[in-house]
Amino acid sequence: MLHDFVPPTPRQGPRRRPVFAAAALAGVCLTAAGCAGDGGPGPGAGPESASGPASSTPSSTPSPRRSPVPDASPSSGTASAKPLPRGPLSGRTVVIDPGHNPGNRDHTREINSQVDIGTGRKECDTTGTATDSGYAEARFTLDVSRRLRTLLEEQGAKVVLTQDGDRAFGPCVDERARIGNRERADAVVSVHADGSATGNRGFHVILPAAVNGGGADTAGIVAPSRELGERIAGNFVRVTGSAPSNYVGGDTGLDTRDDLGGLNLSTVPKVFIECGNMRDPADAALLTSAGWRQKAALGIADGISSYLKR
């Protein structure tokens, strides 16, 4: 769940089965951009089977690169201190932003404080959502982000996390944006999971809109952020089998927003990804599976890698 906006009103009515979903599962890319540099069968994005939406049974199939493991263990600091191998992403910097923070729930006064998001003021952060069984979004985002860091570092990228379980709360949305800007990141991805109604399923990638007001000016990042988002969406389908959201983005898996401080204040290419809906039982079964979280990290990593190697 995003931390600085009011969710849109979900589309009503039965889910329309887009041609995209079937095509993606047959090995067709979400976009032409999503195909380049993926190094595997045609991309797609998200967790979906050929017979329809993602199965409600968590997948235990090992990732093509790494076997699924329990919650990834933390490391000290926000950037790895270990030497990086030489690889196709050597010299590149990626900032991963794990949405929310497990400690936010104990610091409501601090996270409710208002911060400047360029076009107005909003809360510093929120606690995020959780599954009905109590698995917190903040735990999910941190676990996926650590897995994603490992995959990108294996390709030689410098990876910085905005928080790694090493802060009592936050950071606030404005600081999250500043971290990516300060690092002059080649790409920034904010990892989330949604908290919508039961029956609303699938992932979506949020792209920055053209915003110019206050301290926000996204003119220079709109186009590259869209390409980054398209490549992530295409690879997320391919790796996880998940379908694009049936309630946001018109079945495209992409949603453009102008009210997110994390995007408005960014000066480098940045997107958000809502990996699924924690309040839908079928999606929750995926999100709570360590094996599926590894696939989610791999899909995002392949999208970032494809974008950086273009």
Side-chain angles (χ1 to χ4, degrees), residues 222-256:
V222 168
S225 296
R226 171 167 284 275
E227 183 172 359
L228 172 63
E230 289 174 345
R231 288 172 182 264
I232 289 174
N235 282 280
F236 201 83
V237 167
R238 176 179 61 83
V239 175
T240 68
S242 186
S245 168
N246 64 1
Y247 63 102
V248 173
D251 299 313
T252 67
L254 303 172
D255 187 32
T256 301

Side-chain angles (χ1 to χ4, degrees), residues 272-291:
F272 286 61
I273 181 166
E274 296 277 7
C275 296
N277 176 17
M278 296 197 113
R279 292 308 182 94
D280 177 81
D283 269 11
L286 298 174
L287 298 167
T288 55
S289 162

Side-chain angles (χ1 to χ4, degrees), residues 62-308:
S63 157
R65 290 185 186 166
R66 300 178 61 80
S67 298
V69 295
D71 281 4
S73 58
S75 66
S76 58
T78 56
S80 177
K82 65 184 179 184
L84 296 173
R86 292 293 303 171
L89 299 186
S90 293
R92 299 291 196 144
T93 298
V94 178
V95 170
I96 304 302
D97 178 30
H100 314 288
N101 182 321
N104 281 0
R105 60 187 297 175
D106 300 320
H107 294 271
T108 54
R109 181 179 62 82
E110 291 90 344
I111 67 170
N112 285 332
S113 64
Q114 299 281 302
V115 298
D116 185 357
I117 65 164
T119 55
R121 299 185 69 80
K122 286 189 176 180
E123 292 81 6
C124 159
D125 202 354
T126 70
T127 59
T129 189
T131 66
D132 290 341
S133 64
Y135 180 60
E137 179 188 1
R139 283 184 58 198
F140 169 83
T141 64
L142 195 52
D143 183 61
V144 171
S145 295
R146 288 167 174 165
R147 296 171 187 273
L148 179 53
R149 173 176 59 193
T150 297
L151 292 166
L152 293 171
E153 286 182 341
E154 287 174 346
Q155 299 183 67
K158 173 188 175 183
V159 181
V160 176
L161 267 60
T162 59
Q163 59 93 7
D164 192 13
D166 51 358
R167 299 177 58 129
F169 64 91
C172 297
V173 296
D174 56 340
E175 184 182 353
R176 290 172 185 267
R178 286 196 299 271
I179 292 170
N181 298 344
R182 179 194 69 209
E183 295 292 336
R184 296 179 178 154
D186 297 293
V188 184
V189 177
S190 190
V191 179
H192 287 267
D194 212 352
S196 188
T198 298
N200 291 339
R201 297 201 58 197
F203 78 95
H204 61 280
V205 177
I206 302 178
L207 314 174
V211 172
N212 189 347
D217 183 359
T218 62
I221 69 164
V222 168
S225 296
R226 171 167 284 275
E227 183 172 359
L228 172 63
E230 289 174 345
R231 288 172 182 264
I232 289 174
N235 282 280
F236 201 83
V237 167
R238 176 179 61 83
V239 175
T240 68
S242 186
S245 168
N246 64 1
Y247 63 102
V248 173
D251 299 313
T252 67
L254 303 172
D255 187 32
T256 301
R257 303 297 300 264
D258 63 4
D259 58 347
L260 303 181
L263 296 180
N264 291 351
L265 298 175
S266 183
T267 59
V268 294
K270 182 174 182 178
V271 300
F272 286 61
I273 181 166
E274 296 277 7
C275 296
N277 176 17
M278 296 197 113
R279 292 308 182 94
D280 177 81
D283 269 11
L286 298 174
L287 298 167
T288 55
S289 162
W292 189 87
R293 292 195 299 274
Q294 183 69 17
K295 290 181 179 181
L298 180 58
I300 298 169
D302 281 358
I304 294 171
S305 177
S306 170
Y307 169 78
L308 294 179

